[in-house]
């Protein structure tokens, strides 16, 4: 008889759980499926290795898997905590009517295990079903024509099962702790009551509130600066300052601001503000930690996705900035000519332009820097090969360096400045008027690229005697008009590359980057999806719990005669704040993070970053709508008078 | 009786019936109640548990719908109103004091009081003046910026009373207002209610099981099994005498305080 009742109880409460917590199961299944796909891809290393050659994709997938599990741990524990809180009365009642703690524990465990295992099973199954789709997306991203097939990987399934069983076990421990170590009276009272409202202490809170903002702004300013030699430390300081600042903003600043608004209103708060400002203000203290976590996670996700997206989409322009010429031969006219013959016989359209450059040693920059190799290129010759370039004046040079942004030592240059060319045999002085952030000659050709006019180049060659350090470099450049032709030409070119020399062609370099960043985007995109779902759900669950705590308040408002429409507009305003505050702070954080990172890339990443941020905002908006719906339904349901 | 004919009728309930439950097992909470309250009256409703006093106040206060009968408040028939209309009516015309105060925890005393007129289009200055008036009448001006959990039960109930009165309702409902208060706070609240009733001629309907509380009323209506059992008018009697009379009726009624054996 007892077992039957218990079983009935389990089934009944499971059914109601499914109805209320569908979002939780959805998020759980989604991340299980995704983890399974990642595990499958990582396990299927043979096929994947053929596609990705030298890229450390297995490592990438493993790291992503760990990130995924980390966010899931936070999410699952948080969600379970909310559920337990909501059910604490029920748990208390079971005990009150005579069920032992043991059987209540058993009831909850059975429920958790069944639901968890169900979600896990569905997750793996759907993971197996959609892994093909995932693979198609990945292949589409990297433009691969290979047909990859993946079969159901039982080792991936086992790995997924183990990881998520551990997750379920964590919730079990949490549940048992609640059942065994909470006094009956506390269970019965539940957590109806939130924190008792406290007035912020005037001086202290305004100081702390300001400190939060100062910390964030300082971090932004710091991130805007050049990354110095101790950039790791710098990043750590920025991160710490941002996180602490965000925490303080949630813990103090927002409450303080809201308090000021209320003070100005002088008691005439109105219904909407009473339902939004007041409860949010009082909950900030206990919500600060989780809101900080959500905000930092959102910012991280946004930054990650924006960077991956922009790296992927700027792969071509980035490659172009690094390798202005499709193919080059340095001091190797023999190979160059036979390559040309091959191109001709294959019927490919191309432009061949030989360039005479001078490589010598010299120094420029501030102070006592070592001499380094300098490559002097004539602007007129480059123009002939189709480069878009201005011819510098007599005795002037323009420095083309794609690394300028990266290397802070070189970044501190002031222009114009004088470069000393040559060695003991003779000096030539040249005025470097400008530095431009890309390459004029493929970056693998040795030497800092200084572009001068042909006349200046001739002068310098006159001035500096022939010494071993000075050499004439003959470069044959090839430009191919069509992308499809480049692939064919690349095959010919490959044969001229000796194993010990690094001579990337534009096509190979671009393909490599495309592949690498395609995979990165794939992983970042799906991780971002899980992160978004997880953080959005946490906010949603938080509101579920708050709806429970505020139910009494809405009953009172009904008794006082407030209409449903007015109350719903109060709820909408509250949700607007609840979702907008972490979103906006997260967006601003990631805006500065993306800005910092964009300094490291050669192309503009603002558009892809903006797209990623828009998607994020939309997803949050959907969650906000879901929450308002839940809230209103919850309060309509409990129409107690 | 003569007196009540001359004054304006605030509330008039006719043949009020309310039944709960489904076919076959119907509980009749009200079995045809007639009640008429005129302006400036302080009416107490008493009766043993299950006599229908809570149901009655809920129906009269538009929080529940009667099964049959009619309720007219200030010439408006509220028994045929729709939900939304009743909400608006409740908000504009009625005031409530509850046993457990029903203040909103996260609002200060002042914010709680001013909440009920937040929907109206009153000017800020007017609202402030009204607040000053009612808060000083009820002696809660000093605690205006405190939160409900920071003040005593009596102060909370006075806050609740201020909230109920600030929009000058036609009728004030009080559901066991002294139920959660100690005797001193209860006496103080009742004295304030009596004062408001006399000086500002506010019409009050109070449900209580406490004979002391109802001895402050000008009339006490006794319910039994969903019907009016008897009525007592205080007239010019002292409160002590009125109290004794109330106790006597209660004894006959088999009220809460009398041993049924």
């Amino acid at each position: 008889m007892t077992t039957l009742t218990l079983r009935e109880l389990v089934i009944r409460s499971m059914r109601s759980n499914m109805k209320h917590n569908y979002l939780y199961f959805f998020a759980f299944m989604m991340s299980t499926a995704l983890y399974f796909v990642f595990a499958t891809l990582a396990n299927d290393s043979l096929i994947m290795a053929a596609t990705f050659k030298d890229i450390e994709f297995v490592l990438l997938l493993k790291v992503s898997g760990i990130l995924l599990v980390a966010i899931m741990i936070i999410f699952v524990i948080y969600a379970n905590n909310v559920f337990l809180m909501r059910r604490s009365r029920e748990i208390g009642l079971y005990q009150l009517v005579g069920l032992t703690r043991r059987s209540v524990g058993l009831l909850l465990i059975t429920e958790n295990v069944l639901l968890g295992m169900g979600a896990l099973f569905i997750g793996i199954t759907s993971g197996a079903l959609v892994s093909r789709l995932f693979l198609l997306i990945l292949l589409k991203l990297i433009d691969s024509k290979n047909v990859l097939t993946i079969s159901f990987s039982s080792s991936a399934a086992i790995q997924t099962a183990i990881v998520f069983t551990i997750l379920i076990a964590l919730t079990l421990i949490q549940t048992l702790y609640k059942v065994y170590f909470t006094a009956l009276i506390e269970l019965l009272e539940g957590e109806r009551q939130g924190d008792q409202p406290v007035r912020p202490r005037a001086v202290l809170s305004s100081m702390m509130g300001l400190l939060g903002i100062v910390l964030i702004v300082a971090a932004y300013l710091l991130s805007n600066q050049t990354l110095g030699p101790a950039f790791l430390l710098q990043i750590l300081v920025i991160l710490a300052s941002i996180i602490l600042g965000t925490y303080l903003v949630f813990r103090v600043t927002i409450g303080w601001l809201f308090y000021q608004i209320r003070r100005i209103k002088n008691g005439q708060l109105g219904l909407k503000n009473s339902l939004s400002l007041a409860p949010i203000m009082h909950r900030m203290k206990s919500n600060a930690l989780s809101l900080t976590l959500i905000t930092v996670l959102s910012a991280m996700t946004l930054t990650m996705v924006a960077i991956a997206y922009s790296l992927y989409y700027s792969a071509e322009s980035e490659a172009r900035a690094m390798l202005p010429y499709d193919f080059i031969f340095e001091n190797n006219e023999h190979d160059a000519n036979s390559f040309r013959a091959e191109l001709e016989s294959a019927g490919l359209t191309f432009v061949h332009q030989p360039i005479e450059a001078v490589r010598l040693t010299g120094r420029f920059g501030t102070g006592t820097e070592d001499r380094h190799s300098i490559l002097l290129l004539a602007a007129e010759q480059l123009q002939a090969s189709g480069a878009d370039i201005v011819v510098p004046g007599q005795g002037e040079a323009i420095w083309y360096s794609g690394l300028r942004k990266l290397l802070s030592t070189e970044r501190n240059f002031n222009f114009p400045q004088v470069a000393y060319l040559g060695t003991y045999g003779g000096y030539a002085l040249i005025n470097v008027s400008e530095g431009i952030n890309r390459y004029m000659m493929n970056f693998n050709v040795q030497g800092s690229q200084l572009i001068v006019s042909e006349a200046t180049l001739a002068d310098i060659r006159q001035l500096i005697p022939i010494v071993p350090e000075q050499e004439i470099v003959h470069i044959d450049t090839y430009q191919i008009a069509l992308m499809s032709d480049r692939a064919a030409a690349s095959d010919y070119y490959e044969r001229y590359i000796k194993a010990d020399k690094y001579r990337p062609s534009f096509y190979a370099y671009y393909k490599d980057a495309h592949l690498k960043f395609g995979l990165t985007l794939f992983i970042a995109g799906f991780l971002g999806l899980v992160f978004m779902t997880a953080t959005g759900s946490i906010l949603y669950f938080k509101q579920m719990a708050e709806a429970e705590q505020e139910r009494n308040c809405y009953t009172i408002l009904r008794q006082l005669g407030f209409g449903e429409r007015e109350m719903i507009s109060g709820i909408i305003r509250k949700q607007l704040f609840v979702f907008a505050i972490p979103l906006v702070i997260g967006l601003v954080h990631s805006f500065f993070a993306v800005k910092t990172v964009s300094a490291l890339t050669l192309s503009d990443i603002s558009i892809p970053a903006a797209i990623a941020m828009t998607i994020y905002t939309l997803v949050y908006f959907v969650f906000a709508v879901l929450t308002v719906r839940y809230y209103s339904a919850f309060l309509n349901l409990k129409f107690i008078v | 009786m003569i007196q009540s004919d001359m004054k304006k009728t605030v509330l008039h309930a006719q043949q009020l019936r309310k039944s709960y439950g489904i076919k076959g097992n119907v509980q009749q909470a009200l079995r045809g109640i007639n009640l008429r309250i005129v302006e400036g009256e302080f009416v107490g409703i008493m009766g043993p548990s299950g006599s229908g006093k809570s149901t009655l106040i809920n129906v009269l206060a538009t929080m529940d719908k009667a099964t049959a009968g009619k309720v007219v408040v200030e010439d408006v028939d509220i028994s045929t109103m729709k939900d939304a209309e009743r909400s608006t009516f409740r908000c504009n015309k009625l005031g409530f004091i509850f046993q457990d105060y029903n203040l909103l925890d996260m609002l200060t005393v002042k914010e709680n009081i001013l909440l009920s007129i937040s929907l109206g289009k009153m000017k800020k200055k007017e609202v402030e003046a009204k607040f000053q008036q009612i808060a000083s009448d009820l002696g809660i001006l000093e605690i205006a910026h405190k939160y409900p959990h920071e003040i005593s039960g009596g102060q909370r109930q006075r806050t609740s009373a201020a909230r109920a009165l600030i929009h000058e309702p036609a009728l004030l409902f009080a559901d066991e207002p002294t139920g959660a208060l100690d005797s001193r706070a209860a006496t103080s609240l009742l004295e304030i209610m009596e004062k408001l009733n006399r000086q500002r001629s506010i019409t009050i309907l109070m449900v209580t099981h406490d004979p002391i509380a109802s001895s402050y009323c000008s009339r006490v209506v006794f319910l039994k099994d969903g019907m009016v059992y008897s009525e007592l008018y205080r007239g010019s009697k002292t409160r002590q005498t009125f109290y004794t009379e109330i106790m006597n009726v209660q004894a006959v009624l088999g009220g809460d305080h009398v041993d049924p054996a």
Side-chain angles (χ1 to χ4, degrees), chain A residues 9 48 107 176 191 262 264 352 369 383 409 427 440 468 505 606 632:
Chain A
L9 263 178
M48 301 301 285
L107 170 84
L176 285 180
E191 293 194 36
R262 284 175 78 175
I264 292 164
H352 171 214
E369 268 175 59
Q383 272 178 335
T409 48
Y427 275 101
M440 255 0 265
S505 71
S606 52
S632 326

Side-chain angles (χ1 to χ4, degrees), chain B residues 52-120:
Chain B
K53 43 184 204 300
S54 293
T55 311
L56 179 64
I57 197 170
N58 281 343
V59 169
L60 293 182
T62 71
M63 292 201 225
D64 204 350
K65 264 194 161 174
T67 316
K70 197 171 155 188
V71 181
V72 177
V73 176
E74 283 207 323
D75 303 326
V76 183
D77 186 355
I78 58 166
S79 39
T80 55
M81 277 184 177
K82 287 194 185 105
D83 271 355
E85 286 177 297
R86 294 202 300 182
S87 286
T88 317
F89 182 83
R90 191 153 70 228
C91 200
N92 295 330
K93 293 281 178 189
L94 308 179
F96 299 94
I97 306 177
F98 306 92
Q99 174 171 3
D100 37 13
Y101 327 120
N102 281 3
L103 296 174
L104 301 185
D105 292 333
M106 66 269 182
L107 300 185
T108 61
V109 165
K110 187 171 181 181
E111 285 164 351
N112 261 299
I113 293 171
L114 295 183
L115 187 61
S116 51
I117 46 171
S118 67
L119 293 183

Side-chain angles (χ1 to χ4, degrees), chain A residues 197 199 262 266 558-559 561, chain B residues 90 102 110-111 149-150:
Chain A
R199 236 164 292 112
R262 284 175 78 175
N266 190 21
R558 271 177 200 281
Q559 286 174 335
Chain B
R90 191 153 70 228
N102 281 3
K110 187 171 181 181
E111 285 164 351
H149 74 100
E150 297 172 311

Side-chain angles (χ1 to χ4, degrees), chain A residues 399-451:
Chain A
W399 181 34
Y400 280 85
S401 169
L403 298 174
R404 200 172 67 83
K405 274 188 173 179
L406 241 181
L407 304 170
S408 51
T409 48
E410 295 188 18
R411 218 182 174 192
N412 295 332
F413 276 4
N414 296 313
F415 294 102
Q417 64 161 288
V418 176
Y420 302 85
L421 307 175
T423 48
Y424 309 106
Y427 275 101
L429 296 183
I430 193 163
N431 196 23
V432 181
S433 60
E434 202 184 341
I436 288 176
N437 192 20
R438 70 190 151 106
Y439 287 107
M440 255 0 265
M441 178 49 66
N442 288 8
F443 74 96
N444 56 310
V445 177
Q446 194 203 343
S448 299
Q449 299 170 8
L450 287 181
I451 311 299

Side-chain angles (χ1 to χ4, degrees), chain A residues 233-248:
Chain A
L233 184 73
Q234 199 176 343
I235 287 174
L236 269 178
V237 169
I238 291 172
L239 276 181
S241 171
I242 285 255
I243 293 173
L244 189 65
T246 309
Y247 178 73
L248 280 178

Side-chain angles (χ1 to χ4, degrees), chain B residues 129-142 158 162 192 195 200:
Chain B
K130 265 181 178 296
F131 170 76
Q132 293 291 337
Q133 169 76 48
I134 196 101
S136 60
D137 277 1
L138 289 170
I140 47 173
L141 209 50
E142 291 75 36
R158 275 182 274 153
I192 286 175
K195 197 177 90 184
R200 298 224 220 152

